[in-house]
Amino acid sequence: MMQHGKSHFFVGIGGSGMMPLAMILAGQGATVAGSDRSLDSGRLPAKFDALRALGIDLFAQDGSGIVSPDQVVIASAAVEDSVPDMVQAATLGCARMTRAELNAALFNAAPLAIGVAGTSGKSTVTGMIAWIFHCLDRDPTVMNGAVMKNFVRDDAPFASALVGTGDAYISEVDESDGSIALYAPQIAVLNNVSLDHKSLEELRTLFGDFAAKARMTLVNIGDDESAALAMALDRDRTMTFAVEGDADLSARKLAPEPFAIGFDLVMDGTTRRLRLSVPGTHNVANALAAIGAAIAAGLDRDAVCDAIQGFTGLRRRFEFVGEAGGIAVIDDFGHNPDKIGATLDTLHAFPGRVLALFQPHGFGPLKVMRRELVEMFAGRLGADDLLILPDPVYQGGTVAREVTSADIVADIAGAGRNARHLPDRAAAAAHLVAQARAGDRIVIMGARDDTLSVLAREMVRQLEGKQT
């Protein structure tokens, strides 16, 4: 199992992909330390308290934590070489690994490696498989980019990782930086393929190569791009799934509820009624993927179906935060057209206006996704809905501001939908609170910024204040 005799130092240890890896290494007995910009600025103290409780030493991001050439320094691609930690690592000649290289090494060493890929739904499917394996006493190790609510306890408030003694290593696998090529899964899941960080041509190659390595691949043929990829795979090593489709696993007779959904699982000529504790058609597709992966791993089908109904979701994935004055506040990770569209569809299955605050996760993504974002909002927002865009999240470094929130809003408004640009996020939130009335649903959307959850809770308090 890796070089656990070495000390590992994570630069940006609080990141959604870094923190679970640090937790896994620490849980497996490795010496782990790290630094983070949010720690230095005093943001999100609870997260860093949780890391310290695991025996992880934290340092300012000033180079002081990197003291020996024997340390292995792990940093995401987003960390610039000019950061003092990276300067010190280079000076000492420390070995370097990316987050993906470390995760792939742990993943590939596992007897049963289950990799979940796709533009959307990775974290949810990973969490669903993790919960199934846990319920069936398989004690998995899990690397997730989101906190799994089923596993949150007082001593594990940020349960985005599990460290188990079983043979399974279950991980979401990221295509955005091309690192999916490092992984060799025994069981692969391909949820969907759509534009996010790379061109479709690049994605087809990356996902196709990933799927071809596995002894069994689960493919969502309800997604056109994934269905096309499935055609090139060995049929004997492929299990297909689709909502309302003709597949090895399919879902029929969907019955949406505000925060749940029921459906018929059809497989091998048998039908079983299931009810998920998470809402939305997209989560039915996620559940089919998880059920298929668990069955491919040899788990009992009936036990798998029993278990998945108890999955309670992930933090920031259509998470109900609170309600005041008949107005619900929902915190959501939606940040690309597919994810945001799925969230809006889930909300529009029931009456009431949608008041949305979407904070883009960078200027680069706005440029890449401009046309698709605008088309999605123009098509998915209701006539009475309101969309507010503050400026994109900015966490330092150099950035080209070629396409701004104001540009996106102008395009959406030009398509006849209610959209406004309020650069300051607090002002954007206050505007939505002022506009909200009984029966409305407020949804906060965006990625790469954990303080959005703090904002959602603050908006519930503001709504409560309106009532007094």
Side-chain angles (χ1 to χ4, degrees):
M1 243 317 173
M2 297 290 298
Q3 300 172 332
H4 282 6
K6 292 231 176 202
S7 173
H8 293 75
F9 190 95
F10 287 76
V11 182
I13 195 167
S16 63
M18 297 281 270
M19 186 169 176
L21 279 174
M23 291 160 72
I24 288 170
L25 280 186
Q28 291 178 347
T31 302
V32 179
S35 65
D36 199 277
R37 273 191 297 225
S38 294
L39 176 70
D40 292 353
S41 63
R43 296 192 307 156
L44 308 164
K47 175 182 281 190
F48 299 108
D49 289 346
L51 286 168
R52 289 190 188 97
L54 296 174
I56 294 171
D57 290 330
L58 299 177
F59 295 85
Q61 206 165 78
D62 58 6
S64 60
I66 297 176
V67 295
S68 163
D70 292 333
Q71 286 171 289
V72 180
V73 174
I74 298 104
S76 72
V79 175
E80 297 100 346
D81 288 338
S82 58
V83 170
D85 282 347
M86 304 312 290
V87 173
Q88 178 70 355
T91 301
L92 291 178
C94 297
R96 288 267 311 268
M97 290 184 94
T98 65
R99 180 193 65 78
E101 285 168 346
L102 173 58
N103 190 40
L106 293 166
F107 180 90
N108 294 340
L112 177 60
I114 302 176
V116 182
T119 315
S120 301
K122 291 187 291 290
S123 300
T124 298
V125 174
T126 301
M128 286 175 166
I129 299 170
W131 180 241
I132 292 167
F133 270 68
H134 170 80
C135 290
L136 274 60
D137 298 323
R138 292 290 295 267
D139 199 19
T141 296
V142 182
M143 204 311 290
N144 203 332
V147 174
M148 299 173 281
K149 285 159 53 170
N150 285 92
F151 297 106
V152 170
R153 304 186 309 271
D154 287 346
D155 62 343
F158 295 91
S160 56
L162 299 179
V163 182
T165 57
D167 60 351
Y169 191 102
I170 303 161
S171 179
E172 61 172 281
V173 173
D174 190 10
E175 81 289 345
S176 65
D177 57 1
S179 61
I180 187 173
L182 300 172
Y183 294 82
Q186 271 104 54
I187 296 171
V189 174
L190 182 53
N191 273 352
N192 42 55
V193 181
S194 66
L195 205 60
D196 191 342
H197 302 276
K198 289 192 172 297
S199 73
L200 281 174
E201 277 304 316
E202 290 175 285
L203 292 173
R204 287 171 188 141
T205 301
L206 288 169
F207 285 130
D209 290 350
F210 174 74
K213 292 177 188 174
R215 65 172 170 80
M216 184 59 71
T217 301
L218 287 296
V219 185
N220 179 10
I221 59 171
D223 173 71
D224 289 344
E225 281 290 334
S226 303
L229 280 175
M231 302 292 284
L233 297 174
D234 178 350
R235 186 67 185 96
D236 291 337
R237 294 191 294 124
T238 306
M239 194 184 298
T240 60
F241 65 93
V243 176
E244 302 285 7
D246 185 18
D248 297 326
L249 290 89
S250 63
R252 312 271 165 84
K253 297 183 181 174
L254 274 59
E257 302 172 37
F259 292 96
I261 190 165
F263 67 96
D264 280 351
L265 171 67
V266 182
M267 182 182 183
D268 292 337
T270 64
T271 300
R272 172 166 176 164
R273 190 70 183 169
L274 299 181
R275 180 178 178 273
L276 302 178
S277 305
V278 288
T281 302
H282 60 293
N283 274 322
V284 176
N286 290 336
L288 293 177
I291 291 166
I295 290 170
L299 302 188
D300 177 75
R301 183 195 311 180
D302 287 337
V304 167
C305 289
D306 288 340
I308 199 164
Q309 297 181 94
F311 174 72
T312 52
L314 306 177
R315 288 254 174 88
R316 300 217 64 233
R317 304 306 193 273
F318 206 89
E319 183 178 10
F320 175 73
V321 179
E323 185 174 13
I327 303 155
V329 177
I330 293 157
D331 186 17
D332 191 70
F333 188 67
H335 61 281
N336 64 33
D338 271 9
K339 289 186 169 83
I340 296 169
T343 294
L344 293 175
D345 287 350
T346 302
L347 287 164
H348 283 136
F350 297 90
R353 283 195 311 170
V354 174
L355 307 184
L357 187 155
F358 168 49
Q359 177 181 273
H361 58 293
F363 289 94
L366 276 189
K367 182 182 177 184
V368 171
M369 299 188 291
R370 179 176 184 169
R371 184 175 61 83
E372 290 80 6
L373 267 178
V374 170
E375 287 179 358
M376 180 276 301
F377 277 123
R380 297 286 193 38
L381 285 170
D384 296 331
D385 293 346
L386 173 62
L387 171 68
I388 308 281
L389 263 72
D391 285 341
V393 63
Y394 173 68
Q395 293 173 336
T398 54
V399 62
R401 301 166 189 248
E402 294 174 51
V403 176
T404 66
S405 292
D407 295 325
I408 302 294
V409 163
D411 291 351
I412 296 167
R417 291 290 178 246
N418 299 324
R420 290 193 60 182
H421 171 227
L422 291 173
D424 178 70
R425 191 177 80 179
H431 183 73
L432 279 188
V433 168
Q435 295 291 318
R437 56 179 187 254
D440 289 348
R441 285 79 51 80
I442 292 176
V443 59
I444 313 301
M445 293 187 286
R448 294 189 192 157
D449 184 355
D450 290 345
T451 65
L452 286 167
S453 297
V454 179
L455 178 72
R457 292 193 293 273
E458 174 59 29
M459 289 175 77
V460 174
R461 285 192 288 274
Q462 291 175 9
L463 288 167
E464 288 168 347
K466 273 180 73 172
Q467 309 309 309
T468 56

